Amino acid sequence: METEIPGKPEIVDPASELMAGVPDKVGICVSKGGYPAGTLSWHLDGKTLIPDGKGVSVKEETKRHPETGLFTLRSELMVTPARGGAPHPTFSCSFSPGLPRRRALHTAPIQLRVWGERRTGEGPNLGEHLSEEPAPLEEVLLMVEPEGGAVAPGGTVTLTCEAPAQPPPQIHWIKDGMPLPLPPSSVLLLPEVGPEDQGTYSCVATHPSHGPQESHAVSVSIIETGEEGLTAGSVEGPELGTLALALGILGGLGTAALLIGVIMWQRRQRRGEERKDPENQEEEEEERTELNQPEEPEAAESSAGGP
């Protein structure tokens, strides 16, 4: 029987995802219509996989058509992904005719997703090329600096969202229950914090495999020290004003008391004039003249008009 090259092999019933540490079927490679039978081989990221019965096992089946005499080959690949490494392995299959100077025929590659292993056991090892994706997100952590989220007016608050996963998830921010219109980032910086920045913040990590997951919320607030300083300043103003007013009042009272004292002294002087002898009046008039008292002109006129 003449040599017959089969059509291009293909992978049927492919898996879409694998679980690290758990044996699972990748797919079945099929080659039809070849003579002689030839062989099928599996490849991981371009490198040939060698079945070892542990991390890699292959179940082969060869059938020959009773009428045409051509062969149909089937090869089912089972793998146990190891922990750690690339989470998206690429598999392919090739048919080798087994004749000299005949090129191998390759299938189209398939790329699978490897989920992280939740168990602590090591499990069989597929090899250094095949590995698992880290465990799905369990908790999204949100940290704030300064601690407690309280800052003086004009200070800076830094919010950091930690969501360990591969590939890294997209981080979006929420304030008071409303999404902030910001590009994805694991760090939210609030410079020169003002009243409009106060509120409750949280972050949401969105991963293609795990979906969105929100962190706990933290509060950002303004410390009242700045306002207290202003209040103290405003208090000092009235206090100084009150002190000045009090001094002014006391000064006014002192002036008034001085004026009252002068008036009372003048009245006592007048009463004294009425009681004094005529011979002493001239001396008193001289003293009043020296003191420039208002009564001096009258006293001078009375003395000048006497007999």
Side-chain angles (χ1 to χ4, degrees):
M1 185 174 180
E2 295 182 1
T3 301
E4 185 73 24
I5 303 299
K8 188 175 182 179
E10 61 178 345
I11 298 175
V12 299
D13 193 21
S16 60
E17 59 187 26
L18 302 171
M19 179 68 71
V22 178
D24 205 349
K25 181 178 73 172
V26 172
I28 300 174
C29 183
V30 179
S31 174
K32 297 180 180 179
Y35 184 87
T39 58
L40 294 175
S41 301
W42 284 94
H43 309 273
L44 169 64
D45 296 332
K47 296 184 178 182
T48 302
L49 283 175
I50 305 300
D52 57 7
K54 297 178 180 179
V56 180
S57 61
V58 174
K59 184 185 298 183
E60 296 179 331
E61 182 182 39
T62 302
K63 289 184 178 180
R64 188 174 186 180
H65 195 279
E67 296 180 0
T68 64
L70 301 179
F71 290 92
T72 296
L73 306 180
R74 295 169 63 90
S75 176
E76 180 179 318
L77 175 65
M78 296 281 295
V79 300
T80 304
R83 292 172 20 179
H88 302 284
T90 299
F91 293 91
S92 61
C93 177
S94 65
F95 170 79
S96 299
L99 298 174
R101 296 180 298 278
R102 296 284 186 175
R103 292 185 177 182
L105 303 176
H106 293 268
T107 65
I110 60 172
Q111 188 178 62
L112 306 183
R113 177 185 300 277
V114 178
W115 287 75
E117 181 183 9
R118 296 179 181 272
R119 303 175 304 175
T120 57
E122 290 293 331
N125 194 334
L126 175 59
E128 61 179 355
H129 304 293
L130 182 60
S131 55
E132 65 165 307
E133 182 178 350
L137 293 175
E138 296 182 358
E139 184 179 6
V140 179
L141 298 178
L142 178 56
M143 297 180 294
V144 58
E145 294 181 8
E147 188 176 355
V151 66
T156 299
V157 173
T158 303
L159 300 170
T160 305
C161 189
E162 289 191 353
Q166 291 296 333
Q170 286 192 338
I171 305 296
H172 295 275
W173 294 92
I174 294 178
K175 178 178 183 266
D176 297 331
M178 299 295 293
L180 292 176
L182 300 173
S185 175
S186 60
V187 178
L188 176 61
L189 184 65
L190 302 176
E192 299 181 1
V193 172
E196 69 279 2
D197 297 313
Q198 295 188 108
T200 301
Y201 291 80
S202 60
C203 63
V204 176
T206 303
H207 193 278
S209 302
H210 315 316
Q213 187 167 343
E214 187 173 357
S215 71
H216 65 282
V218 299
S219 296
V220 173
S221 59
I222 295 179
I223 302 175
E224 301 298 330
T225 52
E227 296 181 4
E228 290 175 2
L230 295 176
T231 304
S234 62
V235 169
E236 289 175 1
E239 285 180 353
L240 291 175
T242 303
L243 178 60
L245 178 60
L247 292 175
I249 292 173
L250 291 176
L253 291 176
T255 304
L258 180 60
L259 292 175
I260 293 172
V262 171
I263 294 173
M264 294 298 293
W265 179 78
Q266 291 176 350
R267 289 182 180 177
R268 285 196 299 271
Q269 289 295 98
R270 291 195 185 98
R271 294 194 190 97
E273 290 175 1
E274 296 175 357
R275 293 192 298 268
K276 286 182 181 179
D277 297 332
E279 61 270 15
N280 294 330
Q281 290 183 1
E282 294 181 0
E283 296 179 0
E284 295 293 336
E285 289 173 0
E286 293 177 357
E287 292 178 0
R288 284 198 296 272
T289 301
E290 294 176 356
L291 295 172
N292 295 323
Q293 295 298 327
E295 292 83 3
E296 289 177 357
E298 297 178 1
E301 291 175 3
S302 59
S303 61

